[in-house]
Amino acid sequence: MVSIDASASSPGGAPGTRMSGHPRVTIVSCNAMAPGTNNGSLMRSLFAGWPRGHLSHVIVPFFTVGLADYDVCSECRQIEPWGKVVRPDRLGSWKNSPTMAHPVLRPRLWAASYLAKVTARWVTPLREAWYVYSGLGSVIERQLRDLRPEIVYALLGNYSLTRIVSLACQRLNVPLFIHITDDFVTSLYRSVAFGRYLQRSSDHWVRRAVNYAAGRAAIGPAMAEEYQRRYACDWSWFSTLVDGNRYHCAPDGLRDRLHMVYTGGLHLERWRTLRALALAVKHCARDGAKHPVIDVYAPESEVAAYRARMGVPEVIRCGGWVSQDQLPRVLSKGDILVHVEGFDPDVAAYTKWSSSTKLSHYMMAGRCILGVCPEDNGSARMIRHAKAGVTVSDDHPDTLALGVQNLLTDAPLRAQYGANGKKFANEWFEATVGQARFLQNLQQALEAHSSKSVTR
């Protein structure tokens, strides 16, 4: 676990003379700043309160539909796969009103439907090749030249975006701050066509981006520690920030059975781990006591796809997706908050260094956390480091039952874990504190870039 102190938040080393105020930032990402998505919520929490005139957004989606509240940015430009630049901030009828009939959405929805029929093995290499060789890089470069940011914040999730954004910033001599949430560098291309070539290209271009970047952030301390070792430079870390005033830690009231709450997606084999957990807690009920229930809040489309496969309906109760505004209410109903990851080798590799963005909400809620995921997973490490709960690194129901039995029966232990998590959240996830630290990191990145440019 990386040392979690003030120095771990300083990508540029010694800060030198601090700048004041908010710099003009252009965000570049594959994701819109939609509050209903993990990366969207992450970006919104980091840039909350940023002067609207100092913030713009360039979205580079891959045949996906992602709508957002564009009020937070002065300008938003979406680069379609064929190079067309769409400015949805000027389409009032589109904002927050997704529709299958909208002329901007129609071709992308058709393409998404068509690509869904293509074997997943070929989708990734085709996407990477198209984005690298179709000239989209020059389109992004033109947008940055027009927007004239003082610094570019890039939320990176694949090799092609890493390559074209870092090259555009280098050509324009614009400072770059990179943020990585999953270890796509070493895992995204493991089981695809031309995977070895893509892996080598990914590693090469990420290293180039890291070397050019004036600031670098991971999603959590485990990834920051690994990337500091791997790339031999400083990394900070930022996850989703939370308004602590919206959470209360008082019990939700007396209940006749224990309530466990899971919020998040069911893909990446998470549904399978939830099934194992449901079987385990069912086995834990003794002497006629009622078994715990697991309330699962996930996107409706994923509930429809995985509900039958999860099974165990007497334990698992499925609800719909909950918004950020609803999370405090939902999490307050839980005695134990559940985080799961898949144990499939490819899935485990992809999430190994990640930290789930929902852990900041879980810890701020002051509830005990149960993590069922590989032992070396970044989220599991964070839970253990914060002493915010228990982690079990085996998805066999019998082993799981042994691992969670004490947690289910010891209320004071659960309360202590919840208090520990709340303390950690107040230090690292509280919105005003985290936003000030993030602003400081961007300011230090600007200073580092200026110093480097002077010495050239």
Side-chain angles (χ1 to χ4, degrees):
M1 177 67 66
V2 71
S3 174
I4 307 179
D5 55 27
S7 63
S9 299
S10 302
T17 304
R18 299 279 170 81
M19 299 178 62
S20 61
H22 295 74
R24 294 191 313 277
V25 178
T26 294
I27 301 169
V28 182
S29 69
C30 292
N31 312 97
M33 293 176 70
T37 64
N38 289 337
N39 284 338
S41 297
L42 167 64
M43 290 186 287
R44 290 175 70 89
S45 74
L46 293 176
F47 288 100
W50 210 271
R52 186 173 181 272
H54 285 208
L55 195 63
S56 55
H57 195 179
V58 175
I59 308 172
V60 193
F62 181 64
F63 295 109
T64 56
V65 176
L67 303 182
D69 183 353
Y70 295 111
D71 288 343
V72 298
C73 300
S74 60
E75 284 204 57
C76 182
R77 302 179 183 184
Q78 187 158 292
I79 314 299
E80 301 296 338
W82 41 89
K84 181 181 179 181
V85 179
V86 179
R87 301 178 69 168
D89 52 315
R90 296 184 176 180
L91 301 175
S93 60
W94 185 20
K95 184 174 115 178
N96 288 332
S97 179
T99 169
M100 298 288 284
H102 195 283
V104 174
L105 298 184
R106 200 161 37 226
R108 289 198 296 129
L109 287 167
W110 174 86
S113 175
Y114 177 78
L115 283 178
K117 301 176 183 178
V118 180
T119 307
R121 173 177 170 80
W122 290 96
V123 170
T124 297
L126 287 173
R127 176 193 65 192
E128 303 291 1
W130 176 263
Y131 271 67
V132 168
Y133 298 113
S134 65
L136 286 173
S138 61
V139 178
I140 291 177
E141 186 175 334
R142 287 197 298 271
Q143 305 314 304
L144 295 180
R145 185 181 293 111
D146 184 44
L147 292 168
R148 300 175 61 85
E150 293 177 86
I151 188 168
V152 169
Y153 165 91
L155 188 67
L156 301 176
N158 56 61
Y159 138 63
S160 57
L161 185 64
T162 303
R163 173 174 171 162
I164 58 183
V165 171
S166 61
L167 279 177
C169 289
Q170 289 178 59
R171 288 167 180 159
L172 298 173
N173 192 30
V174 176
L176 174 64
F177 187 98
I178 62 176
H179 197 173
I180 298 178
T181 59
D182 289 299
D183 191 22
F184 68 90
V185 188
T186 62
S187 63
L188 189 58
Y189 312 107
R190 285 165 57 109
S191 301
V192 303
F194 309 108
R196 290 185 180 180
Y197 170 77
L198 287 170
Q199 181 100 13
R200 289 195 300 269
S201 299
S202 176
D203 184 63
H204 171 76
W205 283 100
V206 169
R207 288 181 183 276
R208 283 191 57 170
V210 166
N211 289 336
Y212 175 77
R216 312 161 196 90
I219 190 61
M223 181 182 285
E225 180 182 43
E226 166 61 15
Y227 282 12
Q228 285 174 186
R229 182 202 63 79
R230 186 187 300 178
Y231 299 112
C233 57
D234 293 332
W235 286 74
S236 57
W237 67 274
F238 292 95
S239 190
T240 302
L241 304 178
V242 182
D243 180 1
N245 295 324
R246 301 187 61 244
Y247 283 89
H248 63 87
C249 300
D252 192 50
L254 296 176
R255 290 187 288 262
D256 61 348
R257 62 174 64 182
L258 202 70
H259 278 234
M260 308 171 79
V261 173
Y262 170 81
T263 64
L266 302 177
H267 59 295
L268 295 177
E269 296 289 302
R270 291 176 180 130
W271 69 269
R272 194 182 299 276
T273 308
L274 282 170
R275 171 180 168 78
L277 177 60
L279 293 172
V281 299
K282 182 181 178 182
H283 295 161
C284 286
R286 295 178 179 176
D287 302 325
K290 292 185 177 180
H291 58 72
V293 294
I294 305 175
D295 291 315
V296 174
Y297 296 92
E300 286 81 356
S301 59
E302 296 192 14
V303 170
Y306 296 111
R307 183 199 295 267
R309 282 190 274 182
M310 280 194 298
V312 203
E314 63 273 31
V315 176
I316 293 179
R317 305 187 306 193
C318 291
W321 182 256
V322 292
S323 67
Q324 300 287 320
D325 291 338
Q326 296 172 315
L327 270 178
R329 175 184 58 81
V330 168
L331 298 183
S332 71
K333 295 180 178 180
D335 300 289
I336 298 173
L337 305 182
V338 176
H339 172 70
V340 299
E341 295 290 358
F343 284 78
D344 174 85
D346 285 349
V347 172
Y350 186 65
T351 61
K352 178 177 180 178
W353 302 112
S354 303
S355 295
S356 172
T357 55
K358 67 171 172 278
L359 288 183
S360 54
H361 290 275
Y362 278 17
M363 292 189 189
M364 193 65 80
R367 296 295 194 268
C368 169
I369 301 174
L370 170 63
V372 186
C373 40
E375 185 174 8
D376 59 357
N377 176 267
S379 294
R381 295 184 188 195
M382 182 182 285
I383 294 169
R384 292 195 296 266
H385 181 87
K387 297 181 175 61
V390 170
T391 63
V392 183
S393 57
D394 195 314
D395 62 344
H396 191 281
D398 292 341
T399 310
L400 253 177
L402 293 174
V404 304
Q405 180 66 57
N406 192 42
L407 196 64
L408 299 178
T409 57
D410 193 337
L413 178 64
R414 295 196 301 269
Q416 184 59 58
Y417 281 137
N420 294 343
K422 181 74 171 181
K423 179 180 178 182
F424 188 88
N426 284 332
E427 182 177 1
W428 289 99
F429 301 132
E430 206 287 320
T432 55
V433 175
Q435 287 157 7
R437 193 171 74 250
F438 180 63
L439 172 59
Q440 176 183 314
N441 270 222
L442 288 182
Q443 291 171 338
Q444 291 174 0
L446 274 168
E447 294 168 7
H449 182 84
S450 298
S451 299
K452 187 184 296 184
S453 298
V454 169
T455 58
R456 285 173 183 168

